[in-house]
Amino acid sequence: MSLPSSTMQLLLALLALAYAASSTADEHWCYEIQAKEPNSNCKGPSLWTGDCQKNHQSPINIVTKEAKVNPNLKPFAFFGYDQKNKWEVKNDGHSVKMMLGNGSFITGGDLPAKYQAVQLHLHWSQDLNKGSEHSIDGKHFAMEMHIVHEKGTSSNTVEDSKDKNAVLAFMIEVGDEENKAFQPLVEALSRISKPSTNTTMNEISLEDMLPKKEKLVHYFRYLGSLTTPTCDETVVWTVFEEPIKLHKDQFLEFSKRLFYDEEQKFVMKDNVRPLQQLGDRQVFRSHAPGQLLALPLPTLVVPTLTCLLAGFLQ
Ligand SMILES: *[C@@H]1O[C@H](CO)[C@@H](O)[C@H](O)[C@H]1NC(C)=O
Ligand SMILES: *[C@@H]1O[C@H](CO)[C@@H](O)[C@H](O)[C@H]1NC(C)=O
Ligand SMILES: [Zn+2]
């Protein structure tokens, strides 16, 4: 018995479709270090699709002396960052990601609206000088932490725009002191070695993980993209000058405990997108280099002059 040719065609079409679906899954995006593996069939950064080949991409090298001081880049206000929480954390096959729910948000920092914190994740290497995505005057750090925010609240979704996301980026340096605030995350890593696994961290607040608040007034600002496919050019980037410090052993746990693959053959490290061209963009900074006070000059000069004048007139 032979099948009617229309049924045959339908079967062939279905087979082709199934094959196409499985082969796109095999050609999933990955980092350079994974693409370089023999027999890897994932797409490294030069083959990423979506907006990834456009020209307002991230990360970039920040040249500090080219960054223009912008007096509108005032301090941020952080809400809910002080809430202690048992965050859910997962290995998503590309990074380790803390899910932040909808209880934390930021305003200020010349952002046009309130931005909700969605997730926190990191980028790292096993070496101390190539794990950050951004570099500052050519210098890469051991790790970089990103807190991804979305404009508005969960109840009103915002259309794609150049400022749909605000990402706060923190450089991480390695030293010889334990960072207690990072211990809950570090301890959770061994429970999420495999991709697509999750766990709950011991209680911690976001604020505890950040540098001291008074240091957060110094930062760089530019418009760019997500650093993973589809690289949407929707990000207001804030790169803080003050690094976070971890103990070397805490830092090494990331490349020791986490794996890219189910079989745990490839440790997760160098999950870092290569630098992108700045192109026609301007990088801004919140303060002139070496400027200690956040106050504008007239607020200091006027009272001083008034005092002097008052003394003179007596
Ligand atoms: C998230 O928002 C919903 C309603 O919008 C609220 O009921 C819930 O408590 C919020 N969750 C957190 C973690 O704040
Ligand atoms: C892991 O994720 C699943 C699905 O999102 C969720 O139901 C579960 O509560 C999570 N487990 C932990 C320990 O957070
Ligand atoms: Zn990131």
Side-chain angles (χ1 to χ4, degrees), residues 51-60 162 222-226 231-235 237 273 276-282:
D51 289 344
C52 301
Q53 310 305 326
K54 290 190 175 175
N55 55 11
H56 287 168
Q57 291 285 299
S58 298
I60 57 164
K162 276 193 303 198
Y222 77 100
L223 297 179
S225 73
L226 302 174
C231 311
D232 307 21
E233 293 184 337
T234 57
V235 182
W237 278 96
R273 186 185 193 194
Q276 305 293 303
Q277 294 296 325
L278 178 63
D280 60 4
R281 291 173 290 176
Q282 173 72 49

Side-chain angles (χ1 to χ4, degrees), residues 87-90 197-201:
W87 308 104
E88 184 195 333
V89 61
K90 62 186 181 194
T197 54
N198 61 346
T199 187
T200 306
M201 288 166 54

Side-chain angles (χ1 to χ4, degrees), residues 33-239:
I33 190 170
Q34 300 169 276
K36 277 197 317 222
E37 281 296 325
N39 308 325
S40 85
N41 50 0
C42 62
K43 285 183 176 158
S46 59
L47 300 174
W48 290 359
T49 54
D51 289 344
C52 301
Q53 310 305 326
K54 290 190 175 175
N55 55 11
H56 287 168
Q57 291 285 299
S58 298
I60 57 164
N61 174 44
I62 294 171
V63 181
T64 56
K65 68 174 177 18
E66 304 283 332
K68 205 187 248 173
V69 176
N70 177 354
N72 296 326
L73 296 176
K74 300 213 167 73
F76 289 90
F78 296 91
F79 299 90
Y81 267 62
D82 55 348
Q83 275 178 56
K84 294 208 184 290
N85 233 317
K86 295 191 178 235
W87 308 104
E88 184 195 333
V89 61
K90 62 186 181 194
N91 175 343
D92 72 356
H94 307 290
S95 182
V96 54
K97 194 179 271 184
M98 279 166 63
M99 307 313 293
L100 302 178
N102 54 5
S104 314
F105 62 95
I106 53 172
T107 63
D110 204 30
L111 295 174
K114 178 166 145 175
Y115 284 74
Q116 199 83 49
V118 182
Q119 47 101 341
L120 175 159
H121 65 266
L122 298 103
H123 303 267
W124 62 89
S125 178
Q126 226 162 10
D127 301 318
L128 301 184
N129 58 359
K130 54 181 221 194
S132 67
E133 294 209 298
H134 288 88
S135 58
I136 301 181
D137 292 329
K139 179 190 158 143
H140 283 271
F141 292 74
M143 305 180 88
E144 184 169 333
M145 181 172 96
H146 290 157
I147 310 183
V148 180
H149 298 73
E150 271 177 20
K151 199 175 181 178
T153 55
S154 48
S155 52
N156 59 2
T157 46
V158 182
E159 75 293 346
D160 271 17
S161 60
K162 276 193 303 198
D163 59 8
K164 181 184 167 210
N165 299 106
V167 180
L168 304 185
F170 298 87
M171 299 299 146
I172 300 183
E173 271 179 358
V174 166
D176 50 16
E177 237 176 276
E178 185 185 78
N179 183 328
K180 289 210 163 51
F182 268 73
Q183 257 328 91
L185 175 59
V186 170
E187 282 163 4
L189 300 178
S190 58
R191 303 197 295 272
I192 51 171
S193 289
K194 292 183 182 189
S196 310
T197 54
N198 61 346
T199 187
T200 306
M201 288 166 54
N202 283 338
E203 204 164 67
I204 194 75
S205 74
L206 288 177
E207 185 179 72
D208 291 337
M209 297 174 76
L210 306 187
K212 289 197 175 66
K213 206 165 251 173
E214 65 266 23
K215 302 282 192 187
L216 302 182
V217 299
H218 298 281
Y219 58 85
F220 299 99
R221 164 65 49 80
Y222 77 100
L223 297 179
S225 73
L226 302 174
T227 64
T228 55
T230 45
C231 311
D232 307 21
E233 293 184 337
T234 57
V235 182
V236 181
W237 278 96
T238 301
V239 179

